């Protein structure tokens, strides 16, 4: 069992040496974990070691990311830790009404 897990981890490492993204489940457009010879146990082990990252990047589905892709995307991830209540209200408004310009926001959200 130990050798099988080591082989699965190596398959994942090799895949991520030249690719940035891998899905957990079946998808006709993108590769998935089992198709490259990996397993859930192997990827969790690599996640715990900080060698693979996970997100809901692709259509809200579990997506595994290479360290290179994760680093490239990190500056663009929306961080909400230091937003005020007003900031959250504005984000909720834009989320509800979709793309909207500043003039329209000012009409509907007085200061």
């Amino acid at each position: 069992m130990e050798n099988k897990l080591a082989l699965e981890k190596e398959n994942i490492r090799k895949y991520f040496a030249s690719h940035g993204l891998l899905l957990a489940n079946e998808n006709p457009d993108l590769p998935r974990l089992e198709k490259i010879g990996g397993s859930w146990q192997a990827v969790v082990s690599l996640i715990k070691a900080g060698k693979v990252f996970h997100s809901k990047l692709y259509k809200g589905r579990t997506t595994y990311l290479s360290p290179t892709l994760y680093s490239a995307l990190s500056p663009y991830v929306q961080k909400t830790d230091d937003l005020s209540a007003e900031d959250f209200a504005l984000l909720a408004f834009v989320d509800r009404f979709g793309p909207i310009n500043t003039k329209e926001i000012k009409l509907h959200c007085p200061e």
Side-chain angles (χ1 to χ4, degrees), residues 43-67:
V43 80
V44 167
S45 175
L46 292 169
I47 289 168
K48 287 180 179 179
K51 297 183 189 241
V52 171
F53 298 88
H54 65 92
S55 72
K56 297 284 184 172
L57 180 69
Y58 181 75
K59 296 184 179 183
R61 300 174 65 175
T62 301
T63 309
Y64 303 115
L65 307 174
S66 70

PDB file of all heavy atoms in Angstrom, residues 43-67:
ATOM      1  N   VAL A  43      -3.133  13.070  -3.159  1.00  0.00           N
ATOM      2  CA  VAL A  43      -3.219  14.518  -3.296  1.00  0.00           C
ATOM      3  C   VAL A  43      -3.390  15.190  -1.937  1.00  0.00           C
ATOM      4  O   VAL A  43      -2.816  16.254  -1.692  1.00  0.00           O
ATOM      5  CB  VAL A  43      -4.320  14.935  -4.314  1.00  0.00           C
ATOM      6  CG1 VAL A  43      -5.703  14.900  -3.723  1.00  0.00           C
ATOM      7  CG2 VAL A  43      -4.027  16.312  -4.886  1.00  0.00           C
ATOM      8  N   VAL A  44      -4.133  14.579  -1.028  1.00  0.00           N
ATOM      9  CA  VAL A  44      -4.273  15.152   0.320  1.00  0.00           C
ATOM     10  C   VAL A  44      -2.911  15.191   1.008  1.00  0.00           C
ATOM     11  O   VAL A  44      -2.559  16.178   1.659  1.00  0.00           O
ATOM     12  CB  VAL A  44      -5.312  14.371   1.158  1.00  0.00           C
ATOM     13  CG1 VAL A  44      -5.237  14.748   2.624  1.00  0.00           C
ATOM     14  CG2 VAL A  44      -6.713  14.621   0.615  1.00  0.00           C
ATOM     15  N   SER A  45      -2.143  14.152   0.848  1.00  0.00           N
ATOM     16  CA  SER A  45      -0.800  14.119   1.428  1.00  0.00           C
ATOM     17  C   SER A  45       0.065  15.259   0.877  1.00  0.00           C
ATOM     18  O   SER A  45       0.787  15.928   1.623  1.00  0.00           O
ATOM     19  CB  SER A  45      -0.148  12.765   1.129  1.00  0.00           C
ATOM     20  OG  SER A  45       1.174  12.737   1.566  1.00  0.00           O
ATOM     21  N   LEU A  46      -0.030  15.510  -0.427  1.00  0.00           N
ATOM     22  CA  LEU A  46       0.738  16.589  -1.044  1.00  0.00           C
ATOM     23  C   LEU A  46       0.215  17.966  -0.640  1.00  0.00           C
ATOM     24  O   LEU A  46       0.992  18.911  -0.486  1.00  0.00           O
ATOM     25  CB  LEU A  46       0.736  16.429  -2.567  1.00  0.00           C
ATOM     26  CG  LEU A  46       1.502  15.214  -3.091  1.00  0.00           C
ATOM     27  CD1 LEU A  46       1.226  14.996  -4.565  1.00  0.00           C
ATOM     28  CD2 LEU A  46       2.991  15.365  -2.832  1.00  0.00           C
ATOM     29  N   ILE A  47      -1.084  18.077  -0.439  1.00  0.00           N
ATOM     30  CA  ILE A  47      -1.662  19.335   0.047  1.00  0.00           C
ATOM     31  C   ILE A  47      -1.138  19.637   1.447  1.00  0.00           C
ATOM     32  O   ILE A  47      -0.702  20.760   1.731  1.00  0.00           O
ATOM     33  CB  ILE A  47      -3.205  19.279   0.031  1.00  0.00           C
ATOM     34  CG1 ILE A  47      -3.724  19.303  -1.414  1.00  0.00           C
ATOM     35  CG2 ILE A  47      -3.805  20.439   0.834  1.00  0.00           C
ATOM     36  CD1 ILE A  47      -5.197  18.954  -1.550  1.00  0.00           C
ATOM     37  N   LYS A  48      -1.140  18.628   2.306  1.00  0.00           N
ATOM     38  CA  LYS A  48      -0.643  18.811   3.676  1.00  0.00           C
ATOM     39  C   LYS A  48       0.832  19.206   3.692  1.00  0.00           C
ATOM     40  O   LYS A  48       1.271  19.940   4.566  1.00  0.00           O
ATOM     41  CB  LYS A  48      -0.854  17.545   4.493  1.00  0.00           C
ATOM     42  CG  LYS A  48      -2.297  17.312   4.866  1.00  0.00           C
ATOM     43  CD  LYS A  48      -2.463  16.047   5.687  1.00  0.00           C
ATOM     44  CE  LYS A  48      -3.897  15.833   6.071  1.00  0.00           C
ATOM     45  NZ  LYS A  48      -4.097  14.603   6.840  1.00  0.00           N
ATOM     46  N   ALA A  49       1.576  18.744   2.696  1.00  0.00           N
ATOM     47  CA  ALA A  49       3.005  19.067   2.605  1.00  0.00           C
ATOM     48  C   ALA A  49       3.250  20.402   1.894  1.00  0.00           C
ATOM     49  O   ALA A  49       4.395  20.827   1.765  1.00  0.00           O
ATOM     50  CB  ALA A  49       3.740  17.937   1.873  1.00  0.00           C
ATOM     51  N   GLY A  50       2.179  21.051   1.423  1.00  0.00           N
ATOM     52  CA  GLY A  50       2.319  22.330   0.733  1.00  0.00           C
ATOM     53  C   GLY A  50       2.847  22.219  -0.683  1.00  0.00           C
ATOM     54  O   GLY A  50       3.357  23.178  -1.243  1.00  0.00           O
ATOM     55  N   LYS A  51       2.709  21.022  -1.292  1.00  0.00           N
ATOM     56  CA  LYS A  51       3.225  20.812  -2.644  1.00  0.00           C
ATOM     57  C   LYS A  51       2.129  20.870  -3.708  1.00  0.00           C
ATOM     58  O   LYS A  51       2.415  20.879  -4.898  1.00  0.00           O
ATOM     59  CB  LYS A  51       3.965  19.486  -2.712  1.00  0.00           C
ATOM     60  CG  LYS A  51       5.171  19.492  -1.788  1.00  0.00           C
ATOM     61  CD  LYS A  51       5.957  18.235  -1.875  1.00  0.00           C
ATOM     62  CE  LYS A  51       6.970  18.259  -0.768  1.00  0.00           C
ATOM     63  NZ  LYS A  51       8.290  18.225  -1.104  1.00  0.00           N
ATOM     64  N   VAL A  52       0.881  20.885  -3.261  1.00  0.00           N
ATOM     65  CA  VAL A  52      -0.286  21.029  -4.133  1.00  0.00           C
ATOM     66  C   VAL A  52      -1.272  21.901  -3.363  1.00  0.00           C
ATOM     67  O   VAL A  52      -1.319  21.855  -2.129  1.00  0.00           O
ATOM     68  CB  VAL A  52      -0.927  19.649  -4.459  1.00  0.00           C
ATOM     69  CG1 VAL A  52      -2.257  19.798  -5.172  1.00  0.00           C
ATOM     70  CG2 VAL A  52       0.019  18.803  -5.300  1.00  0.00           C
ATOM     71  N   PHE A  53      -2.051  22.674  -4.094  1.00  0.00           N
ATOM     72  CA  PHE A  53      -3.049  23.539  -3.470  1.00  0.00           C
ATOM     73  C   PHE A  53      -4.407  23.203  -4.047  1.00  0.00           C
ATOM     74  O   PHE A  53      -4.513  22.674  -5.149  1.00  0.00           O
ATOM     75  CB  PHE A  53      -2.700  25.008  -3.732  1.00  0.00           C
ATOM     76  CG  PHE A  53      -1.376  25.372  -3.142  1.00  0.00           C
ATOM     77  CD1 PHE A  53      -0.205  25.198  -3.868  1.00  0.00           C
ATOM     78  CD2 PHE A  53      -1.293  25.871  -1.853  1.00  0.00           C
ATOM     79  CE1 PHE A  53       1.028  25.515  -3.323  1.00  0.00           C
ATOM     80  CE2 PHE A  53      -0.063  26.184  -1.296  1.00  0.00           C
ATOM     81  CZ  PHE A  53       1.098  26.003  -2.035  1.00  0.00           C
ATOM     82  N   HIS A  54      -5.459  23.485  -3.291  1.00  0.00           N
ATOM     83  CA  HIS A  54      -6.791  23.201  -3.803  1.00  0.00           C
ATOM     84  C   HIS A  54      -7.658  24.441  -3.718  1.00  0.00           C
ATOM     85  O   HIS A  54      -7.429  25.331  -2.902  1.00  0.00           O
ATOM     86  CB  HIS A  54      -7.440  22.012  -3.080  1.00  0.00           C
ATOM     87  CG  HIS A  54      -7.706  22.256  -1.640  1.00  0.00           C
ATOM     88  ND1 HIS A  54      -8.906  22.747  -1.188  1.00  0.00           N
ATOM     89  CD2 HIS A  54      -6.933  22.099  -0.556  1.00  0.00           C
ATOM     90  CE1 HIS A  54      -8.846  22.866   0.125  1.00  0.00           C
ATOM     91  NE2 HIS A  54      -7.662  22.479   0.529  1.00  0.00           N
ATOM     92  N   SER A  55      -8.646  24.491  -4.617  1.00  0.00           N
ATOM     93  CA  SER A  55      -9.561  25.623  -4.660  1.00  0.00           C
ATOM     94  C   SER A  55     -10.841  25.175  -5.356  1.00  0.00           C
ATOM     95  O   SER A  55     -10.999  24.007  -5.672  1.00  0.00           O
ATOM     96  CB  SER A  55      -8.930  26.777  -5.443  1.00  0.00           C
ATOM     97  OG  SER A  55      -8.904  26.468  -6.819  1.00  0.00           O
ATOM     98  N   LYS A  56     -11.701  26.131  -5.602  1.00  0.00           N
ATOM     99  CA  LYS A  56     -12.915  25.898  -6.398  1.00  0.00           C
ATOM    100  C   LYS A  56     -12.804  26.745  -7.667  1.00  0.00           C
ATOM    101  O   LYS A  56     -13.753  27.326  -8.143  1.00  0.00           O
ATOM    102  CB  LYS A  56     -14.164  26.291  -5.598  1.00  0.00           C
ATOM    103  CG  LYS A  56     -14.374  25.480  -4.346  1.00  0.00           C
ATOM    104  CD  LYS A  56     -14.897  24.121  -4.680  1.00  0.00           C
ATOM    105  CE  LYS A  56     -15.190  23.357  -3.398  1.00  0.00           C
ATOM    106  NZ  LYS A  56     -15.871  22.119  -3.671  1.00  0.00           N
ATOM    107  N   LEU A  57     -11.610  26.836  -8.209  1.00  0.00           N
ATOM    108  CA  LEU A  57     -11.287  27.723  -9.327  1.00  0.00           C
ATOM    109  C   LEU A  57     -12.109  27.437 -10.575  1.00  0.00           C
ATOM    110  O   LEU A  57     -12.577  28.344 -11.240  1.00  0.00           O
ATOM    111  CB  LEU A  57      -9.796  27.614  -9.643  1.00  0.00           C
ATOM    112  CG  LEU A  57      -9.273  28.473 -10.781  1.00  0.00           C
ATOM    113  CD1 LEU A  57      -9.318  29.941 -10.392  1.00  0.00           C
ATOM    114  CD2 LEU A  57      -7.852  28.079 -11.138  1.00  0.00           C
ATOM    115  N   TYR A  58     -12.281  26.196 -10.925  1.00  0.00           N
ATOM    116  CA  TYR A  58     -12.959  25.843 -12.174  1.00  0.00           C
ATOM    117  C   TYR A  58     -14.415  25.499 -11.910  1.00  0.00           C
ATOM    118  O   TYR A  58     -14.730  24.448 -11.344  1.00  0.00           O
ATOM    119  CB  TYR A  58     -12.242  24.671 -12.854  1.00  0.00           C
ATOM    120  CG  TYR A  58     -12.866  24.267 -14.161  1.00  0.00           C
ATOM    121  CD1 TYR A  58     -12.695  25.047 -15.298  1.00  0.00           C
ATOM    122  CD2 TYR A  58     -13.654  23.141 -14.251  1.00  0.00           C
ATOM    123  CE1 TYR A  58     -13.290  24.691 -16.498  1.00  0.00           C
ATOM    124  CE2 TYR A  58     -14.246  22.777 -15.443  1.00  0.00           C
ATOM    125  CZ  TYR A  58     -14.067  23.562 -16.559  1.00  0.00           C
ATOM    126  OH  TYR A  58     -14.670  23.203 -17.740  1.00  0.00           O
ATOM    127  N   LYS A  59     -15.308  26.418 -12.275  1.00  0.00           N
ATOM    128  CA  LYS A  59     -16.764  26.209 -12.180  1.00  0.00           C
ATOM    129  C   LYS A  59     -17.212  25.749 -10.799  1.00  0.00           C
ATOM    130  O   LYS A  59     -18.133  24.943 -10.664  1.00  0.00           O
ATOM    131  CB  LYS A  59     -17.227  25.223 -13.244  1.00  0.00           C
ATOM    132  CG  LYS A  59     -17.029  25.723 -14.654  1.00  0.00           C
ATOM    133  CD  LYS A  59     -17.602  24.759 -15.674  1.00  0.00           C
ATOM    134  CE  LYS A  59     -17.414  25.312 -17.072  1.00  0.00           C
ATOM    135  NZ  LYS A  59     -18.013  24.446 -18.087  1.00  0.00           N
ATOM    136  N   GLY A  60     -16.548  26.219  -9.749  1.00  0.00           N
ATOM    137  CA  GLY A  60     -16.935  25.871  -8.386  1.00  0.00           C
ATOM    138  C   GLY A  60     -16.638  24.428  -8.007  1.00  0.00           C
ATOM    139  O   GLY A  60     -17.108  23.944  -6.989  1.00  0.00           O
ATOM    140  N   ARG A  61     -15.838  23.750  -8.816  1.00  0.00           N
ATOM    141  CA  ARG A  61     -15.508  22.349  -8.558  1.00  0.00           C
ATOM    142  C   ARG A  61     -14.135  22.253  -7.905  1.00  0.00           C
ATOM    143  O   ARG A  61     -13.273  23.104  -8.109  1.00  0.00           O
ATOM    144  CB  ARG A  61     -15.505  21.575  -9.876  1.00  0.00           C
ATOM    145  CG  ARG A  61     -16.858  21.611 -10.572  1.00  0.00           C
ATOM    146  CD  ARG A  61     -16.789  20.981 -11.901  1.00  0.00           C
ATOM    147  NE  ARG A  61     -16.485  19.556 -11.735  1.00  0.00           N
ATOM    148  CZ  ARG A  61     -16.451  18.699 -12.729  1.00  0.00           C
ATOM    149  NH1 ARG A  61     -16.670  19.099 -13.944  1.00  0.00           N
ATOM    150  NH2 ARG A  61     -16.167  17.430 -12.505  1.00  0.00           N
ATOM    151  N   THR A  62     -13.922  21.196  -7.160  1.00  0.00           N
ATOM    152  CA  THR A  62     -12.617  20.994  -6.538  1.00  0.00           C
ATOM    153  C   THR A  62     -11.555  20.923  -7.615  1.00  0.00           C
ATOM    154  O   THR A  62     -11.618  20.096  -8.524  1.00  0.00           O
ATOM    155  CB  THR A  62     -12.604  19.719  -5.681  1.00  0.00           C
ATOM    156  OG1 THR A  62     -13.606  19.846  -4.673  1.00  0.00           O
ATOM    157  CG2 THR A  62     -11.255  19.499  -5.033  1.00  0.00           C
ATOM    158  N   THR A  63     -10.601  21.840  -7.497  1.00  0.00           N
ATOM    159  CA  THR A  63      -9.536  21.990  -8.476  1.00  0.00           C
ATOM    160  C   THR A  63      -8.208  21.978  -7.747  1.00  0.00           C
ATOM    161  O   THR A  63      -8.030  22.693  -6.769  1.00  0.00           O
ATOM    162  CB  THR A  63      -9.697  23.337  -9.220  1.00  0.00           C
ATOM    163  OG1 THR A  63     -11.029  23.452  -9.703  1.00  0.00           O
ATOM    164  CG2 THR A  63      -8.717  23.450 -10.356  1.00  0.00           C
ATOM    165  N   TYR A  64      -7.284  21.153  -8.196  1.00  0.00           N
ATOM    166  CA  TYR A  64      -5.949  21.110  -7.610  1.00  0.00           C
ATOM    167  C   TYR A  64      -5.029  21.978  -8.454  1.00  0.00           C
ATOM    168  O   TYR A  64      -5.085  21.945  -9.687  1.00  0.00           O
ATOM    169  CB  TYR A  64      -5.441  19.674  -7.545  1.00  0.00           C
ATOM    170  CG  TYR A  64      -6.367  18.771  -6.771  1.00  0.00           C
ATOM    171  CD1 TYR A  64      -7.036  17.732  -7.389  1.00  0.00           C
ATOM    172  CD2 TYR A  64      -6.592  18.990  -5.411  1.00  0.00           C
ATOM    173  CE1 TYR A  64      -7.907  16.919  -6.678  1.00  0.00           C
ATOM    174  CE2 TYR A  64      -7.462  18.181  -4.698  1.00  0.00           C
ATOM    175  CZ  TYR A  64      -8.122  17.153  -5.333  1.00  0.00           C
ATOM    176  OH  TYR A  64      -8.988  16.356  -4.630  1.00  0.00           O
ATOM    177  N   LEU A  65      -4.196  22.754  -7.774  1.00  0.00           N
ATOM    178  CA  LEU A  65      -3.307  23.693  -8.449  1.00  0.00           C
ATOM    179  C   LEU A  65      -1.854  23.370  -8.146  1.00  0.00           C
ATOM    180  O   LEU A  65      -1.515  23.026  -7.009  1.00  0.00           O
ATOM    181  CB  LEU A  65      -3.591  25.121  -7.983  1.00  0.00           C
ATOM    182  CG  LEU A  65      -5.029  25.606  -8.068  1.00  0.00           C
ATOM    183  CD1 LEU A  65      -5.149  26.982  -7.440  1.00  0.00           C
ATOM    184  CD2 LEU A  65      -5.505  25.621  -9.494  1.00  0.00           C
ATOM    185  N   SER A  66      -1.012  23.533  -9.146  1.00  0.00           N
ATOM    186  CA  SER A  66       0.425  23.393  -8.931  1.00  0.00           C
ATOM    187  C   SER A  66       0.902  24.591  -8.118  1.00  0.00           C
ATOM    188  O   SER A  66       0.262  25.648  -8.123  1.00  0.00           O
ATOM    189  CB  SER A  66       1.164  23.365 -10.267  1.00  0.00           C
ATOM    190  OG  SER A  66       1.125  24.651 -10.871  1.00  0.00           O
ATOM    191  N   PRO A  67       2.024  24.460  -7.412  1.00  0.00           N
ATOM    192  CA  PRO A  67       2.562  25.612  -6.674  1.00  0.00           C
ATOM    193  C   PRO A  67       2.826  26.815  -7.586  1.00  0.00           C
ATOM    194  O   PRO A  67       2.599  27.956  -7.189  1.00  0.00           O
ATOM    195  CB  PRO A  67       3.868  25.079  -6.078  1.00  0.00           C
ATOM    196  CG  PRO A  67       3.646  23.609  -5.954  1.00  0.00           C
ATOM    197  CD  PRO A  67       2.793  23.244  -7.153  1.00  0.00           C
TER     198      PRO A  67
END
